[in-house]
Amino acid sequence: MKIELIENKIFINRGDSKEEIHPFWLRERLDGEEFLDKGTQQRLFDPSSMNCEVAVEKAKISDGFIEINFNDGASSRIDLNKLASEFSNKDTVIKSINKIKWDSTLKNVKNFEYKDNFFESKEMHDLLVSFYQYGFVIIKNVPTEDNFIVKFANSIGSVRRTNFGEHFNVRSKLNPNDLAYTTLHLTPHTDNPYRNPVPCIQLLHCIENEVSGGFSTLVDGYTVTENLKKDDPETYKVLSEVKVRFRFTDKNVVLEDWSELIHLDEEKNFKQVRFSPRLDYVPILEKNKLDFYYKARKKLSDLYNSEKNRIEFKLEPKDLMMMDNYRVLHGRTKFDPEEGKRFLQGCYIDFDSTEGKLRHLKRKFNL
Ligand SMILES: [Fe+2]
């Protein structure tokens, strides 16, 4: 990719094609002191209010910069590397990390170890890359005092508060408003499918765990649904087209949102799974359509609940797990509260937290 200059017209040469760059596109990117605030890197002028009929009067390329004089009197030197980075139109940080498919055979995923200055370290960068690859990550030795999970979340980005509070305590209690707060076996599910938007990432911090049961289980919704797309496209299609209603009620709130169980992006690629059989309501459709839908949902449920797709492990005190709630389903095996204490704390953050942190660390360490 190269920037070329021909008679005051500026071109981008991609090897197999050459296109003129609109002069106003370049005018918008002027970065001299009078155009750009150096501290914030925010514009000091408003291009949306300007006449876009602007032309290049004079231009010169030298030493990795292009110097341009426009016919409205503005002029500037623009860094060619900075310009080139804009031509892909794609996110080059998050989307460039390929998801790794996994099932019960998953082995040797790196655990990370909490230490001082963790959040500004190269280790944190590697942790976030691993999180985007696998959809979850475990950090050992995270302090447990004073609801440290909230500090942890706020050191990556910002806690996403919900009606369960800034953080929630997972232990069995009397009259629970959610099955999480019981000792029951929890089948694989994603959290809070009834919210708009659904919280992106769940953090779960083990404070105490003295029971022999209560294992954590994880299933990769990405792997399961990508395999389903290949093996049974009709089932995949109906699950990615029919929207169901998710609903949560308690005495203070009624939360409701509609979504497909497999939600795709504009290019029909994986974006999000929601699955919580305690909380979903299928719409009324023609009987034969519903017949097919129910079979499809059962097939997906069987895959999510299959041992082949599940990993199972015990969280030890001070372990903190981060899970992509749009990708990974979680659950737990039942436990006997007579054996001892089991106490976990949870909270949510959104993707802006992990994305913003990862871009910052890439910039910081020049990665
Ligand atoms: Fe949950």
Side-chain angles (χ1 to χ4, degrees):
M1 196 160 356
K2 225 175 121 200
I3 307 282
E4 290 176 359
L5 192 59
I6 304 170
E7 293 170 356
N8 284 344
K9 288 187 173 161
I10 297 152
F11 292 82
I12 171 167
N13 188 340
R14 290 188 164 95
D16 53 354
S17 66
K18 189 152 88 173
E19 270 175 77
E20 189 188 349
I21 302 175
H22 196 297
F24 196 70
W25 190 91
L26 292 158
R27 175 69 177 76
E28 281 190 320
R29 280 156 179 76
L30 292 193
D31 68 355
E33 253 171 45
E34 62 184 293
F35 303 109
L36 203 67
D37 176 63
K38 285 290 157 210
T40 61
Q41 292 288 302
Q42 291 178 11
R43 256 188 221 125
L44 297 168
F45 64 102
D46 174 4
S48 67
S49 67
M50 287 169 58
N51 178 4
C52 61
E53 303 286 324
V54 72
V56 174
E57 217 154 56
K58 213 165 81 187
K60 194 173 98 185
I61 293 177
S62 68
D63 298 332
F65 285 84
I66 182 163
E67 286 175 36
I68 312 174
N69 292 64
F70 292 93
N71 65 349
D72 64 358
S75 63
S76 183
R77 282 175 92 222
I78 309 176
D79 185 332
L80 289 178
N81 282 335
K82 205 169 153 191
L83 271 191
S85 70
E86 288 209 50
F87 291 131
S88 75
N89 275 346
K90 279 204 179 115
D91 164 73
T92 50
V93 175
I94 311 302
K95 293 214 171 106
S96 67
I97 304 173
N98 290 324
K99 290 189 183 75
I100 297 174
K101 288 167 80 178
W102 55 265
D103 59 18
S104 62
T105 59
L106 178 67
K107 297 237 159 47
N108 302 328
V109 178
K110 187 184 171 194
N111 284 340
F112 291 82
E113 179 95 14
Y114 180 82
K115 46 182 97 66
D116 287 349
N117 300 320
F118 189 59
F119 300 102
E120 282 297 317
S121 66
K122 166 82 173 31
E123 192 83 349
M124 186 73 208
H125 165 272
D126 297 347
L127 178 158
L128 290 169
V129 171
S130 186
F131 169 76
Y132 280 104
Q133 286 172 329
Y134 294 98
F136 75 98
V137 67
I138 293 171
I139 307 110
K140 314 287 286 181
N141 206 25
V142 179
T144 52
E145 51 281 341
D146 303 329
N147 305 329
F148 192 81
I149 187 170
V150 174
K151 210 168 178 184
F152 190 98
N154 283 332
S155 299
I156 296 179
S158 308
V159 157
R160 162 81 184 273
R161 193 187 173 90
T162 70
N163 58 310
F164 294 120
E166 197 175 39
H167 76 282
F168 44 92
N169 293 322
V170 187
R171 55 182 150 204
S172 58
K173 59 184 180 191
L174 284 176
N175 303 320
N177 67 347
D178 194 283
L179 290 186
Y181 308 128
T182 67
T183 63
L184 297 171
H185 164 67
L186 291 181
T187 56
H189 63 278
T190 58
D191 266 12
N192 293 207
Y194 41 77
R195 275 184 218 285
N196 177 20
V198 172
C200 305
I201 298 161
Q202 184 185 179
L203 310 187
L204 207 52
H205 192 191
C206 179
I207 312 296
E208 289 173 295
N209 198 357
E210 297 167 353
V211 297
S212 57
F215 278 58
S216 297
T217 57
L218 296 180
V219 176
D220 187 14
Y222 172 68
T223 302
V224 168
T225 57
E226 287 296 293
N227 290 347
L228 182 66
K229 178 160 64 173
K230 239 186 339 181
D231 300 342
D232 187 350
E234 284 303 304
T235 293
Y236 178 83
K237 188 167 182 283
V238 76
L239 293 171
S240 60
E241 284 180 357
V242 173
K243 289 187 177 185
V244 304
R245 185 179 60 163
F246 293 97
R247 189 178 161 92
F248 172 92
T249 58
D250 72 4
K251 65 180 185 353
N252 299 316
V253 75
V254 180
L255 294 163
E256 197 174 289
D257 197 38
W258 291 77
S259 170
E260 310 83 356
L261 297 188
I262 307 170
H263 180 61
L264 307 179
D265 67 12
E266 309 82 49
E267 280 140 18
K268 300 272 172 220
N269 291 319
F270 178 92
K271 186 162 187 187
Q272 179 185 8
V273 287
R274 298 195 209 193
F275 195 73
S276 193
R278 294 176 266 153
L279 303 159
D280 68 332
Y281 300 86
V282 176
I284 183 86
L285 303 172
E286 274 172 42
K287 189 167 169 276
N288 57 352
K289 276 195 186 152
L290 270 188
D291 198 41
F292 188 71
Y293 186 81
Y294 284 132
K295 283 179 182 136
R297 187 179 65 172
K298 163 126 178 45
K299 184 159 194 175
L300 184 66
S301 172
D302 288 347
L303 289 168
Y304 284 154
N305 284 285
S306 155
E307 253 177 50
K308 193 188 151 295
N309 291 318
R310 176 173 71 224
I311 56 168
E312 197 171 292
F313 50 91
K314 190 170 177 184
L315 283 177
E316 303 293 341
K318 294 193 172 182
D319 286 356
L320 189 148
M321 177 160 63
M322 262 173 72
M323 291 170 278
D324 181 342
N325 191 43
Y326 283 36
R327 170 176 171 183
V328 170
L329 295 86
H330 62 280
R332 68 147 191 256
T333 60
K334 70 173 183 326
F335 63 94
D336 177 1
E338 300 295 318
E339 286 181 353
K341 291 181 190 141
R342 185 181 187 275
F343 176 30
L344 281 76
Q345 291 188 310
C347 74
Y348 301 108
I349 55 175
D350 288 327
F351 289 135
D352 60 338
S353 289
T354 45
E355 289 175 10
K357 188 67 162 183
L358 184 53
R359 288 199 189 94
H360 158 67
L361 292 171
K362 272 199 184 293
R363 176 182 62 184
K364 178 174 171 178
F365 294 113
N366 247 328
L367 297 165

mmCIF file of all heavy atoms in Angstrom, residues 99-129:
data_model
loop_
_atom_site.group_PDB
_atom_site.id
_atom_site.type_symbol
_atom_site.label_atom_id
_atom_site.label_comp_id
_atom_site.label_asym_id
_atom_site.label_seq_id
_atom_site.Cartn_x
_atom_site.Cartn_y
_atom_site.Cartn_z
ATOM 1 N N LYS A 99 -10.529 -16.407 17.326
ATOM 2 C CA LYS A 99 -11.095 -17.255 18.383
ATOM 3 C C LYS A 99 -10.572 -18.675 18.200
ATOM 4 O O LYS A 99 -10.525 -19.179 17.072
ATOM 5 C CB LYS A 99 -12.619 -17.292 18.263
ATOM 6 C CG LYS A 99 -13.313 -15.992 18.619
ATOM 7 C CD LYS A 99 -14.824 -16.252 18.673
ATOM 8 C CE LYS A 99 -15.602 -14.993 18.959
ATOM 9 N NZ LYS A 99 -15.689 -14.076 17.815
ATOM 10 N N ILE A 100 -10.226 -19.312 19.297
ATOM 11 C CA ILE A 100 -9.776 -20.699 19.255
ATOM 12 C C ILE A 100 -10.932 -21.583 19.721
ATOM 13 O O ILE A 100 -11.499 -21.358 20.797
ATOM 14 C CB ILE A 100 -8.539 -20.899 20.159
ATOM 15 C CG1 ILE A 100 -7.384 -20.052 19.610
ATOM 16 C CG2 ILE A 100 -8.162 -22.372 20.257
ATOM 17 C CD1 ILE A 100 -6.142 -20.031 20.489
ATOM 18 N N LYS A 101 -11.308 -22.543 18.879
ATOM 19 C CA LYS A 101 -12.412 -23.438 19.253
ATOM 20 C C LYS A 101 -11.922 -24.446 20.300
ATOM 21 O O LYS A 101 -10.781 -24.897 20.230
ATOM 22 C CB LYS A 101 -12.936 -24.183 18.020
ATOM 23 C CG LYS A 101 -13.722 -23.263 17.074
ATOM 24 C CD LYS A 101 -13.967 -23.900 15.726
ATOM 25 C CE LYS A 101 -15.122 -24.870 15.768
ATOM 26 N NZ LYS A 101 -15.385 -25.464 14.442
ATOM 27 N N TRP A 102 -12.775 -24.781 21.248
ATOM 28 C CA TRP A 102 -12.374 -25.769 22.259
ATOM 29 C C TRP A 102 -13.577 -26.573 22.743
ATOM 30 O O TRP A 102 -14.725 -26.146 22.641
ATOM 31 C CB TRP A 102 -11.644 -25.116 23.431
ATOM 32 C CG TRP A 102 -12.354 -23.997 24.131
ATOM 33 C CD1 TRP A 102 -12.204 -22.663 23.881
ATOM 34 C CD2 TRP A 102 -13.320 -24.099 25.205
ATOM 35 N NE1 TRP A 102 -13.006 -21.929 24.730
ATOM 36 C CE2 TRP A 102 -13.706 -22.781 25.552
ATOM 37 C CE3 TRP A 102 -13.887 -25.156 25.915
ATOM 38 C CZ2 TRP A 102 -14.624 -22.497 26.564
ATOM 39 C CZ3 TRP A 102 -14.809 -24.874 26.928
ATOM 40 C CH2 TRP A 102 -15.159 -23.559 27.235
ATOM 41 N N ASP A 103 -13.271 -27.755 23.269
ATOM 42 C CA ASP A 103 -14.296 -28.601 23.893
ATOM 43 C C ASP A 103 -13.661 -29.289 25.100
ATOM 44 O O ASP A 103 -12.659 -28.795 25.638
ATOM 45 C CB ASP A 103 -14.891 -29.598 22.875
ATOM 46 C CG ASP A 103 -13.830 -30.503 22.273
ATOM 47 O OD1 ASP A 103 -12.726 -30.608 22.859
ATOM 48 O OD2 ASP A 103 -14.087 -31.116 21.221
ATOM 49 N N SER A 104 -14.204 -30.445 25.506
ATOM 50 C CA SER A 104 -13.720 -31.078 26.744
ATOM 51 C C SER A 104 -12.248 -31.485 26.664
ATOM 52 O O SER A 104 -11.631 -31.753 27.689
ATOM 53 C CB SER A 104 -14.564 -32.318 27.055
ATOM 54 O OG SER A 104 -14.420 -33.241 26.001
ATOM 55 N N THR A 105 -11.691 -31.547 25.459
ATOM 56 C CA THR A 105 -10.284 -31.957 25.323
ATOM 57 C C THR A 105 -9.319 -30.793 25.582
ATOM 58 O O THR A 105 -8.100 -30.983 25.521
ATOM 59 C CB THR A 105 -10.003 -32.524 23.911
ATOM 60 O OG1 THR A 105 -10.326 -31.496 22.959
ATOM 61 C CG2 THR A 105 -10.845 -33.757 23.626
ATOM 62 N N LEU A 106 -9.864 -29.634 25.842
ATOM 63 C CA LEU A 106 -8.992 -28.456 26.058
ATOM 64 C C LEU A 106 -8.001 -28.699 27.190
ATOM 65 O O LEU A 106 -8.367 -29.104 28.286
ATOM 66 C CB LEU A 106 -9.873 -27.236 26.401
ATOM 67 C CG LEU A 106 -9.124 -25.935 26.703
ATOM 68 C CD1 LEU A 106 -8.419 -25.405 25.454
ATOM 69 C CD2 LEU A 106 -10.077 -24.878 27.246
ATOM 70 N N LYS A 107 -6.732 -28.445 26.881
ATOM 71 C CA LYS A 107 -5.675 -28.627 27.897
ATOM 72 C C LYS A 107 -4.718 -27.445 27.821
ATOM 73 O O LYS A 107 -4.636 -26.765 26.814
ATOM 74 C CB LYS A 107 -4.865 -29.897 27.608
ATOM 75 C CG LYS A 107 -5.666 -31.158 27.689
ATOM 76 C CD LYS A 107 -5.084 -32.160 28.689
ATOM 77 C CE LYS A 107 -6.136 -33.144 29.123
ATOM 78 N NZ LYS A 107 -6.929 -33.736 28.042
ATOM 79 N N ASN A 108 -3.993 -27.265 28.896
ATOM 80 C CA ASN A 108 -2.884 -26.310 28.894
ATOM 81 C C ASN A 108 -3.241 -24.877 28.546
ATOM 82 O O ASN A 108 -2.509 -24.212 27.829
ATOM 83 C CB ASN A 108 -1.778 -26.753 27.902
ATOM 84 C CG ASN A 108 -1.263 -28.126 28.238
ATOM 85 O OD1 ASN A 108 -1.231 -28.495 29.402
ATOM 86 N ND2 ASN A 108 -0.888 -28.867 27.219
ATOM 87 N N VAL A 109 -4.397 -24.413 28.990
ATOM 88 C CA VAL A 109 -4.652 -22.983 28.840
ATOM 89 C C VAL A 109 -3.895 -22.292 29.951
ATOM 90 O O VAL A 109 -3.940 -22.726 31.104
ATOM 91 C CB VAL A 109 -6.155 -22.667 28.957
ATOM 92 C CG1 VAL A 109 -6.393 -21.167 28.835
ATOM 93 C CG2 VAL A 109 -6.920 -23.388 27.881
ATOM 94 N N LYS A 110 -3.194 -21.232 29.579
ATOM 95 C CA LYS A 110 -2.346 -20.577 30.580
ATOM 96 C C LYS A 110 -3.195 -19.869 31.637
ATOM 97 O O LYS A 110 -4.116 -19.114 31.307
ATOM 98 C CB LYS A 110 -1.448 -19.558 29.860
ATOM 99 C CG LYS A 110 -0.431 -18.959 30.777
ATOM 100 C CD LYS A 110 0.408 -17.888 30.108
ATOM 101 C CE LYS A 110 1.222 -17.217 31.212
ATOM 102 N NZ LYS A 110 1.823 -15.989 30.810
ATOM 103 N N ASN A 111 -2.901 -20.130 32.908
ATOM 104 C CA ASN A 111 -3.478 -19.336 33.981
ATOM 105 C C ASN A 111 -2.539 -18.174 34.259
ATOM 106 O O ASN A 111 -1.323 -18.284 34.098
ATOM 107 C CB ASN A 111 -3.600 -20.165 35.266
ATOM 108 C CG ASN A 111 -4.766 -21.122 35.190
ATOM 109 O OD1 ASN A 111 -5.686 -20.948 34.387
ATOM 110 N ND2 ASN A 111 -4.740 -22.144 36.021
ATOM 111 N N PHE A 112 -3.094 -17.068 34.679
ATOM 112 C CA PHE A 112 -2.277 -15.901 34.969
ATOM 113 C C PHE A 112 -2.194 -15.709 36.476
ATOM 114 O O PHE A 112 -3.009 -16.229 37.224
ATOM 115 C CB PHE A 112 -2.857 -14.668 34.271
ATOM 116 C CG PHE A 112 -2.709 -14.765 32.777
ATOM 117 C CD1 PHE A 112 -3.618 -15.505 32.020
ATOM 118 C CD2 PHE A 112 -1.639 -14.178 32.141
ATOM 119 C CE1 PHE A 112 -3.460 -15.635 30.648
ATOM 120 C CE2 PHE A 112 -1.466 -14.303 30.766
ATOM 121 C CZ PHE A 112 -2.385 -15.027 30.024
ATOM 122 N N GLU A 113 -1.184 -14.972 36.912
ATOM 123 C CA GLU A 113 -0.922 -14.811 38.339
ATOM 124 C C GLU A 113 -0.983 -13.327 38.669
ATOM 125 O O GLU A 113 -0.278 -12.529 38.060
ATOM 126 C CB GLU A 113 0.484 -15.384 38.630
ATOM 127 C CG GLU A 113 0.932 -15.293 40.048
ATOM 128 C CD GLU A 113 0.648 -16.593 40.822
ATOM 129 O OE1 GLU A 113 0.347 -17.618 40.185
ATOM 130 O OE2 GLU A 113 0.726 -16.539 42.059
ATOM 131 N N TYR A 114 -1.824 -12.990 39.628
ATOM 132 C CA TYR A 114 -1.943 -11.586 40.025
ATOM 133 C C TYR A 114 -0.680 -11.124 40.740
ATOM 134 O O TYR A 114 -0.120 -11.845 41.550
ATOM 135 C CB TYR A 114 -3.149 -11.410 40.947
ATOM 136 C CG TYR A 114 -3.325 -9.992 41.395
ATOM 137 C CD1 TYR A 114 -3.970 -9.069 40.583
ATOM 138 C CD2 TYR A 114 -2.800 -9.558 42.611
ATOM 139 C CE1 TYR A 114 -4.103 -7.753 40.963
ATOM 140 C CE2 TYR A 114 -2.931 -8.237 43.000
ATOM 141 C CZ TYR A 114 -3.575 -7.344 42.179
ATOM 142 O OH TYR A 114 -3.689 -6.037 42.570
ATOM 143 N N LYS A 115 -0.217 -9.920 40.427
ATOM 144 C CA LYS A 115 0.896 -9.316 41.177
ATOM 145 C C LYS A 115 0.763 -7.798 41.171
ATOM 146 O O LYS A 115 -0.181 -7.283 40.537
ATOM 147 C CB LYS A 115 2.251 -9.769 40.621
ATOM 148 C CG LYS A 115 2.405 -9.732 39.106
ATOM 149 C CD LYS A 115 3.748 -10.250 38.660
ATOM 150 C CE LYS A 115 3.793 -11.693 38.223
ATOM 151 N NZ LYS A 115 3.048 -12.040 37.029
ATOM 152 N N ASP A 116 1.669 -7.113 41.833
ATOM 153 C CA ASP A 116 1.602 -5.648 41.878
ATOM 154 C C ASP A 116 1.682 -5.077 40.470
ATOM 155 O O ASP A 116 2.380 -5.623 39.613
ATOM 156 C CB ASP A 116 2.772 -5.088 42.716
ATOM 157 C CG ASP A 116 2.557 -5.344 44.202
ATOM 158 O OD1 ASP A 116 1.429 -5.744 44.565
ATOM 159 O OD2 ASP A 116 3.513 -5.157 44.975
ATOM 160 N N ASN A 117 1.030 -3.958 40.263
ATOM 161 C CA ASN A 117 1.009 -3.275 38.957
ATOM 162 C C ASN A 117 0.514 -4.152 37.811
ATOM 163 O O ASN A 117 0.880 -3.955 36.653
ATOM 164 C CB ASN A 117 2.413 -2.730 38.591
ATOM 165 C CG ASN A 117 2.904 -1.747 39.623
ATOM 166 O OD1 ASN A 117 2.123 -0.931 40.119
ATOM 167 N ND2 ASN A 117 4.172 -1.841 39.984
ATOM 168 N N PHE A 118 -0.304 -5.123 38.164
ATOM 169 C CA PHE A 118 -0.793 -6.098 37.189
ATOM 170 C C PHE A 118 -1.512 -5.443 36.008
ATOM 171 O O PHE A 118 -1.334 -5.829 34.856
ATOM 172 C CB PHE A 118 -1.761 -7.032 37.931
ATOM 173 C CG PHE A 118 -2.202 -8.221 37.159
ATOM 174 C CD1 PHE A 118 -1.295 -9.130 36.672
ATOM 175 C CD2 PHE A 118 -3.561 -8.448 36.937
ATOM 176 C CE1 PHE A 118 -1.711 -10.252 35.972
ATOM 177 C CE2 PHE A 118 -3.985 -9.565 36.240
ATOM 178 C CZ PHE A 118 -3.054 -10.467 35.761
ATOM 179 N N PHE A 119 -2.312 -4.418 36.317
ATOM 180 C CA PHE A 119 -3.215 -3.876 35.292
ATOM 181 C C PHE A 119 -2.498 -3.058 34.222
ATOM 182 O O PHE A 119 -3.051 -2.794 33.179
ATOM 183 C CB PHE A 119 -4.317 -3.040 35.971
ATOM 184 C CG PHE A 119 -5.114 -3.879 36.929
ATOM 185 C CD1 PHE A 119 -4.893 -3.793 38.294
ATOM 186 C CD2 PHE A 119 -6.033 -4.784 36.457
ATOM 187 C CE1 PHE A 119 -5.607 -4.588 39.173
ATOM 188 C CE2 PHE A 119 -6.749 -5.592 37.329
ATOM 189 C CZ PHE A 119 -6.537 -5.493 38.689
ATOM 190 N N GLU A 120 -1.263 -2.655 34.523
ATOM 191 C CA GLU A 120 -0.496 -1.881 33.549
ATOM 192 C C GLU A 120 0.647 -2.703 32.967
ATOM 193 O O GLU A 120 1.585 -2.150 32.398
ATOM 194 C CB GLU A 120 0.061 -0.605 34.214
ATOM 195 C CG GLU A 120 -0.969 0.499 34.368
ATOM 196 C CD GLU A 120 -1.491 0.999 33.014
ATOM 197 O OE1 GLU A 120 -0.688 1.190 32.102
ATOM 198 O OE2 GLU A 120 -2.719 1.162 32.888
ATOM 199 N N SER A 121 0.587 -4.021 33.144
ATOM 200 C CA SER A 121 1.728 -4.863 32.761
ATOM 201 C C SER A 121 1.521 -5.527 31.404
ATOM 202 O O SER A 121 0.398 -5.614 30.893
ATOM 203 C CB SER A 121 1.927 -5.947 33.823
ATOM 204 O OG SER A 121 0.820 -6.823 33.820
ATOM 205 N N LYS A 122 2.627 -6.038 30.872
ATOM 206 C CA LYS A 122 2.577 -6.805 29.624
ATOM 207 C C LYS A 122 1.753 -8.081 29.833
ATOM 208 O O LYS A 122 1.067 -8.577 28.933
ATOM 209 C CB LYS A 122 4.027 -7.114 29.224
ATOM 210 C CG LYS A 122 4.238 -8.139 28.167
ATOM 211 C CD LYS A 122 4.061 -7.543 26.792
ATOM 212 C CE LYS A 122 4.434 -8.479 25.655
ATOM 213 N NZ LYS A 122 4.254 -9.881 25.834
ATOM 214 N N GLU A 123 1.823 -8.599 31.070
ATOM 215 C CA GLU A 123 1.045 -9.776 31.460
ATOM 216 C C GLU A 123 -0.460 -9.538 31.251
ATOM 217 O O GLU A 123 -1.194 -10.408 30.801
ATOM 218 C CB GLU A 123 1.325 -10.032 32.951
ATOM 219 C CG GLU A 123 0.849 -11.353 33.487
ATOM 220 C CD GLU A 123 1.839 -12.476 33.204
ATOM 221 O OE1 GLU A 123 2.775 -12.256 32.426
ATOM 222 O OE2 GLU A 123 1.636 -13.565 33.767
ATOM 223 N N MET A 124 -0.894 -8.352 31.587
ATOM 224 C CA MET A 124 -2.310 -7.979 31.415
ATOM 225 C C MET A 124 -2.669 -7.986 29.936
ATOM 226 O O MET A 124 -3.754 -8.434 29.546
ATOM 227 C CB MET A 124 -2.537 -6.579 32.014
ATOM 228 C CG MET A 124 -3.987 -6.160 32.026
ATOM 229 S SD MET A 124 -4.915 -7.069 33.276
ATOM 230 C CE MET A 124 -6.539 -7.058 32.559
ATOM 231 N N HIS A 125 -1.770 -7.508 29.112
ATOM 232 C CA HIS A 125 -1.986 -7.550 27.668
ATOM 233 C C HIS A 125 -2.171 -8.994 27.200
ATOM 234 O O HIS A 125 -3.126 -9.321 26.489
ATOM 235 C CB HIS A 125 -0.795 -6.888 26.948
ATOM 236 C CG HIS A 125 -0.752 -7.186 25.480
ATOM 237 N ND1 HIS A 125 -0.105 -8.300 24.968
ATOM 238 C CD2 HIS A 125 -1.314 -6.561 24.436
ATOM 239 C CE1 HIS A 125 -0.261 -8.323 23.667
ATOM 240 N NE2 HIS A 125 -0.987 -7.290 23.309
ATOM 241 N N ASP A 126 -1.258 -9.858 27.654
ATOM 242 C CA ASP A 126 -1.315 -11.269 27.233
ATOM 243 C C ASP A 126 -2.591 -11.929 27.745
ATOM 244 O O ASP A 126 -3.189 -12.760 27.058
ATOM 245 C CB ASP A 126 -0.096 -12.035 27.759
ATOM 246 C CG ASP A 126 1.201 -11.483 27.174
ATOM 247 O OD1 ASP A 126 1.129 -10.697 26.211
ATOM 248 O OD2 ASP A 126 2.280 -11.823 27.692
ATOM 249 N N LEU A 127 -2.989 -11.550 28.941
ATOM 250 C CA LEU A 127 -4.224 -12.081 29.529
ATOM 251 C C LEU A 127 -5.428 -11.721 28.648
ATOM 252 O O LEU A 127 -6.288 -12.569 28.362
ATOM 253 C CB LEU A 127 -4.390 -11.485 30.926
ATOM 254 C CG LEU A 127 -5.611 -11.827 31.776
ATOM 255 C CD1 LEU A 127 -5.262 -11.572 33.235
ATOM 256 C CD2 LEU A 127 -6.851 -11.051 31.427
ATOM 257 N N LEU A 128 -5.475 -10.468 28.204
ATOM 258 C CA LEU A 128 -6.627 -10.031 27.405
ATOM 259 C C LEU A 128 -6.636 -10.720 26.036
ATOM 260 O O LEU A 128 -7.690 -11.090 25.527
ATOM 261 C CB LEU A 128 -6.622 -8.508 27.252
ATOM 262 C CG LEU A 128 -6.934 -7.744 28.545
ATOM 263 C CD1 LEU A 128 -6.660 -6.254 28.388
ATOM 264 C CD2 LEU A 128 -8.379 -7.969 28.987
ATOM 265 N N VAL A 129 -5.462 -10.921 25.472
ATOM 266 C CA VAL A 129 -5.398 -11.650 24.191
ATOM 267 C C VAL A 129 -5.925 -13.072 24.399
ATOM 268 O O VAL A 129 -6.749 -13.569 23.624
ATOM 269 C CB VAL A 129 -3.953 -11.663 23.633
ATOM 270 C CG1 VAL A 129 -3.845 -12.599 22.426
ATOM 271 C CG2 VAL A 129 -3.517 -10.255 23.253
#
